[in-house]
Amino acid sequence: SDLRNCFIFVIAFAGIMRSHEIINIKRSQISILPDHMSIFCPFRKNDQHHQGYLLDQTDIMPVSVTEKLLTKLPVHPDQHLVCRLSSSGSPLLSAIAYSRVRATFRATLSLFVEDSYNYGTHSLRRGGASAVSAAGISGELLNKYAGSKSVKSKNGYKAHAIANDRLNKLKVSRAINL
């Protein structure tokens, strides 16, 4: 469970992802390549065209945590990475509930702050976006990487040059520098 929690926290921050996106990641949606890791998210909150999203990550920490987690899980394409555990600690096929993710996040955070109830899992996403912004990544590229709303996306405009450019998406990942 500690490794599972570490995966949630690191991927939410480094991938600027929402909890429901992380909870629904399956083994078949992860690709570990020589220079980066890709996570395919079939659904993101603002995916108006239902095309899914490919998150590319180069930082050592998210990739190594993911690799370690994969070694602990059954080799089954529908295996959720953020899965429920049996009473003996064995991974089950099904995903954990969001309420469990939130409770675990707050319990972990309470070790470091007085009132952990002032924070939610979205704080990880917000923190990752702030780190990327502070590193000088453009707002438009950040919005595409994080799946955020923008005026252009509200109007249905797709910025293909940025959204589909792997090198630009990897710049966001490298800017987090974990």
Side-chain angles (χ1 to χ4, degrees):
S1 68
D2 290 341
L3 185 56
R4 176 188 68 189
N5 297 338
C6 185
F7 173 80
I8 294 168
F9 302 159
V10 168
I11 295 298
F13 183 87
I16 312 174
M17 294 180 75
R18 295 171 182 88
S19 294
H20 78 273
E21 295 164 349
I22 296 168
I23 291 168
N24 290 307
I25 295 172
K26 294 182 180 180
R27 179 183 272 280
S28 61
Q29 297 164 330
I30 302 278
S31 298
I32 307 284
L33 305 165
D35 63 337
H36 71 283
M37 168 180 73
S38 291
I39 301 173
F40 178 71
C41 298
F43 172 78
R44 285 195 95 166
K45 181 178 177 180
N46 299 322
D47 183 10
Q48 297 173 355
H49 303 285
H50 306 288
Q51 296 174 331
Y53 178 78
L54 190 64
L55 171 73
D56 294 311
Q57 188 56 242
T58 59
D59 293 320
I60 293 169
M61 183 181 284
V63 175
S64 66
V65 167
T66 303
E67 288 175 325
K68 286 178 185 171
L69 183 60
L70 288 170
T71 66
K72 304 288 184 189
L73 297 173
V75 181
H76 189 285
D78 289 332
Q79 175 67 52
H80 283 87
L81 269 66
V82 181
C83 63
R84 294 177 52 227
L85 301 174
S86 70
S87 58
S88 66
S90 299
L92 301 173
L93 194 60
S94 59
I96 64 172
Y98 169 74
S99 58
R100 182 77 171 131
V101 172
R102 185 182 59 230
T104 301
F105 174 69
R106 287 184 174 157
T108 304
L109 195 59
S110 70
L111 301 170
F112 304 98
V113 298
E114 282 187 33
D115 189 5
S116 62
Y117 283 91
N118 287 332
Y119 301 90
T121 57
H122 201 74
S123 299
L124 293 164
R125 177 177 159 81
R126 208 170 333 150
S130 295
V132 169
S133 181
I137 298 296
S138 75
E140 187 176 2
L141 181 55
L142 174 59
N143 285 343
K144 290 299 171 187
Y145 183 83
S148 299
K149 288 183 179 179
S150 69
V151 173
K152 290 180 182 179
S153 68
K154 286 180 187 175
N155 295 328
Y157 175 77
K158 294 186 284 185
H160 290 290
I162 293 173
N164 296 321
D165 183 347
R166 183 173 306 274
L167 293 177
N168 276 331
K169 290 197 297 187
L170 290 174
K171 281 182 192 176
V172 176
S173 169
R174 288 184 183 114
I176 293 174
N177 196 29
L178 287 180

